[in-house]
Amino acid sequence: MRRLWTAARKFVVDSWVVFVSQVFELRHMWVWSFVMASFFPLTLLGFLLLFGEVSSERVLYVVTGSITYAVAMQAGLSLGQRIGGMKMRRVFDYYASLPISKVSFICGLNLNAVLLCVPSTMTLLVIGVLAFDVRVVNPYLLPVAFVLGGFSLAGVGAVIGFYSRSGQIASIVTQIANPILVFFAPVYIAEAALPGFLRYTAWVLPTTHVARLLRSAFGEVTEGIGQSIAILVGFVILGVILVQRGLDWRGDRPLA
Amino acid sequence: MAVAYEVVGLTKRYHGPMEVLANDRIDLRITSGEIVGIFGPNGAGKTTLVRQLMGLLRSTAGEIRLFDHDLVREPTVATQYVAYFAQETYYFWYLKPREILAITGRLRGLTSREANSQAHSLLTKFNLGNLAGKTLSRLSFGQARFVALLSVFMGNRAILILDEPTNDLDPLHRRAFWDYLWEVNSKGGITVLLVTHNVHEAEQVVHRVVIVDAGRIVASGTPRELKAGLEGQVRVEVALAEPLGNDEPPTFAGCERLPSKRNTLLLQTARENVDAVIRAVYDRFPSGAVSDLRVVPPTLEDVYVQTVGKEWV
């Protein structure tokens, strides 16, 4: 029992220190990171709601879709690019030469990515509530959607970052993954509006379930919530497993 | 003395379109408390060797024992005993010196208080307190590298593996580093594996030298043992007022010409031949062309050049 406690404590401390190291490392770009994660979802939100028909259902989809987009972009895709950059700078050599587990490292990175989306998602949430009069009906679902969505999408970004052969490839793959995550899933539109085959493939995209949880938080039908939560938990676990396998920091490759 | 590392038949082959045999059946024993210099030309396999000793690279064949552990089977064990300084150390640009040291200490198992205290001591010792508020991105390359280098001392590991530690450092920081390395070795019994091209400086601190070329150990021993092969030889260093032209460099009877620098001609000759060589040099060059001439005993660098037989890089 004592060994288990020591191991758990070490895991938490190591993850926290990795998280802190990454927070410090990103301090020069916090503002830009916020602008990047907010700008495109905010632009899309404005574009979709200022032009064309505005119904309460449409507002709900656009606001929750924009928040989902911000989480996908910040927690997922920018993490993928960041990991690609870390790979190029051989940052893993530093962490691999320290007595920490891969899981601690991954959790610290993911936590950092998830917390980085707080400002942009909060901004979009406030705009949604104040400007477009959406109401939070099931507030407990907001943190659930945020935490599970953030970690599952961070897992997607981390998988891209760790499995890509180089930083450049990670950057390209994240650009490809971006529209797939957002526009191939019922994020901005209802599931019924998706083309037939996408209704099936959308189930394997975490954004589908994050958007559904957010819509439920704002009062849409709440059926299938348990299923979405279970799927997102599965994504979080799968992400950690895949990254742990892909993080070959005791690798076989030459330096150059 | 306990054996820190016991390496037997270590082989590393990089597969791919251009297969490379980076380490070829290397046998090496490193005793606790030794400072061992690993020298060799670029591409000789030094970094590949130390990355395997750090558990960062899988071996193709062979054994590595670290104290009582089989490092090939349990590569993470190295993190408990060894601190590693890699050639490329620009991991963190936006951390401040105290932060990078404290974070490294924390991840090596120190408490927050211990890590901060050790970081403070190191920064104070090297008069880096004035840089405390700056991120590494605002320091010079040399300063940033020196801070990263200090992080190997965090957490008091029994073994340090340092890959080109003094690159980019100015002479004062290099000297301070070598002095401190000597201090932690002599007082704390820390074992050090030192990969460097700076043979001349390293000669002052190493107990033993291993020269690696084309993936194999081609010479090993104490500096004195290795230099014994050049017993009876001296080096004549001729500093010229003007750089040597592009013409064929001059040769002198009974001398071997060592790779020369721009304004300096390096000649190796038998001790009894020195007078004749000096006369020949002054005969060869016009009056005033030779600005300085020194006769020095052979150095480890001479041993290196003779052993590897390539231009110094």
Side-chain angles (χ1 to χ4, degrees), chain B residues 32-84:
Chain B
S32 283
E34 268 192 306
I35 301 183
V36 177
I38 301 176
F39 304 150
N42 289 337
K46 309 180 297 292
T47 296
T48 294
L49 171 63
V50 294
R51 282 173 65 80
Q52 290 171 94
L53 299 183
M54 187 61 229
L56 293 175
L57 195 61
R58 287 187 204 102
S59 312
T60 308
E63 293 171 24
I64 307 170
R65 291 202 75 78
L66 170 60
F67 295 116
D68 289 329
H69 303 276
D70 180 347
L71 199 62
V72 176
R73 294 181 67 175
E74 307 172 76
T76 53
V77 164
T79 62
Q80 303 290 340
Y81 297 97
V82 190
Y84 176 58

Side-chain angles (χ1 to χ4, degrees), chain B residues 25 27 33 58 73 86 114 126 135 137 176 187 226 228 252 296:
Chain B
R25 290 164 289 160
D27 296 332
R58 287 187 204 102
R73 294 181 67 175
E114 288 167 343
F126 291 99
T135 58
S137 62
K187 287 186 184 164
L226 291 178
F252 299 93
V296 293

Side-chain angles (χ1 to χ4, degrees), chain A residues 25 27 93-94 248 252, chain B residues 12 51 58 93 99 104:
Chain A
E25 186 61 8
R27 66 176 133 213
D93 272 4
Y94 169 79
D248 187 18
D252 204 27
Chain B
K12 177 65 194 174
R51 282 173 65 80
R58 287 187 204 102
W93 279 112
E99 291 166 353
T104 307

Side-chain angles (χ1 to χ4, degrees), chain A residues 139-193:
Chain A
Y140 69 94
L141 280 177
L142 279 179
V144 174
F146 180 74
V147 171
L148 289 180
F151 277 100
S152 58
L153 285 160
V156 173
V159 167
I160 292 172
F162 285 118
Y163 279 84
S164 300
R165 283 180 65 91
S166 68
Q168 289 94 331
I169 292 176
S171 178
I172 292 167
V173 175
T174 55
Q175 305 293 335
I176 296 167
N178 187 6
I180 293 175
L181 283 170
V182 178
F183 299 116
F184 287 26
V187 171
Y188 278 100
I189 53 172
E191 197 177 320

Side-chain angles (χ1 to χ4, degrees), chain A residues 34-45:
Chain A
F34 164 69
V35 170
M36 183 203 77
S38 319
F39 190 71
F40 198 66
L42 208 55
T43 312
L44 205 56
L45 182 142

Side-chain angles (χ1 to χ4, degrees), chain B residues 102-297:
Chain B
I103 283 169
T104 307
R106 290 285 278 144
L107 292 174
R108 287 208 181 108
L110 299 181
T111 63
S112 182
R113 180 179 294 207
E114 288 167 343
N116 282 316
S117 158
Q118 212 174 81
H120 178 74
S121 303
L122 277 171
L123 292 173
T124 307
K125 181 174 182 64
F126 291 99
N127 298 319
L128 296 173
N130 56 331
L131 305 179
K134 294 181 178 177
T135 58
L136 263 54
S137 62
R138 294 178 61 203
L139 308 183
S140 70
F141 270 109
Q143 287 172 324
R145 191 169 169 89
F146 190 66
V147 170
L149 181 53
L150 293 184
S151 69
V152 297
F153 299 110
M154 295 297 300
N156 308 319
R157 289 298 190 249
I159 300 171
L160 308 180
I161 295 181
L162 310 171
D163 196 349
E164 305 287 0
T166 54
N167 282 4
D168 298 325
L169 301 191
D170 62 43
L172 283 178
H173 281 102
R174 284 210 301 269
R175 175 171 288 188
F177 170 73
W178 293 125
D179 287 348
Y180 188 61
L181 193 66
W182 185 250
E183 185 184 321
V184 294
N185 168 263
S186 51
K187 287 186 184 164
I190 305 284
T191 307
V192 182
L193 270 77
L194 182 65
V195 175
T196 183
H197 281 169
N198 200 334
V199 179
H200 180 66
E201 283 182 5
E203 183 175 358
Q204 315 302 317
V205 292
V206 295
H207 297 125
R208 200 152 60 86
V209 171
V210 171
I211 299 179
V212 178
D213 191 22
R216 307 197 69 166
I217 293 180
V218 290
S220 73
T222 63
R224 179 185 286 229
E225 285 167 354
L226 291 178
K227 285 192 284 190
L230 293 174
E231 207 164 345
Q233 298 279 305
V234 289
R235 182 160 71 162
V236 180
E237 296 180 356
V238 183
L240 300 169
E242 296 290 329
L244 285 166
N246 293 330
D247 307 333
E248 186 66 22
T251 52
F252 299 93
C255 281
E256 186 186 346
R257 233 190 104 242
L258 300 171
S260 301
K261 294 162 191 165
R262 198 161 168 262
N263 279 40
T264 309
L265 201 58
L266 301 178
L267 306 167
Q268 187 173 298
T269 187
R271 197 174 291 164
E272 57 271 18
N273 201 25
V274 169
D275 290 343
V277 169
I278 293 173
R279 270 198 303 276
V281 166
Y282 279 104
D283 289 346
R284 167 67 179 73
F285 293 105
S287 174
V290 175
S291 59
D292 191 19
L293 189 146
R294 292 171 192 213
V295 179
V296 293

Side-chain angles (χ1 to χ4, degrees), chain A residues 10 13-18 20-22 24-28 88-100 248-255, chain B residues 12 14-15 47 51 54-58 75-76 79-80 82 84 86-88 90-96 99-100 103-104 106-109 135 157:
Chain A
K10 179 168 168 47
V13 170
D14 289 349
S15 302
W16 176 253
V17 177
V18 170
V20 169
S21 69
Q22 292 301 311
F24 286 158
E25 186 61 8
L26 295 177
R27 66 176 133 213
H28 68 295
M88 284 204 297
R89 299 200 320 273
R90 300 201 160 273
V91 176
F92 303 149
D93 272 4
Y94 169 79
Y95 288 106
S97 68
L98 296 167
I100 61 168
D248 187 18
W249 67 13
R250 297 180 202 291
D252 204 27
R253 291 188 287 275
L255 269 175
Chain B
K12 177 65 194 174
Y14 292 116
H15 298 286
T47 296
R51 282 173 65 80
M54 187 61 229
L56 293 175
L57 195 61
R58 287 187 204 102
T76 53
T79 62
Q80 303 290 340
V82 190
Y84 176 58
Q87 263 187 64
E88 295 176 39
Y90 305 111
Y91 307 133
F92 299 111
W93 279 112
Y94 297 96
L95 260 58
K96 295 173 183 173
E99 291 166 353
I100 193 167
I103 283 169
T104 307
R106 290 285 278 144
L107 292 174
R108 287 208 181 108
T135 58
R157 289 298 190 249

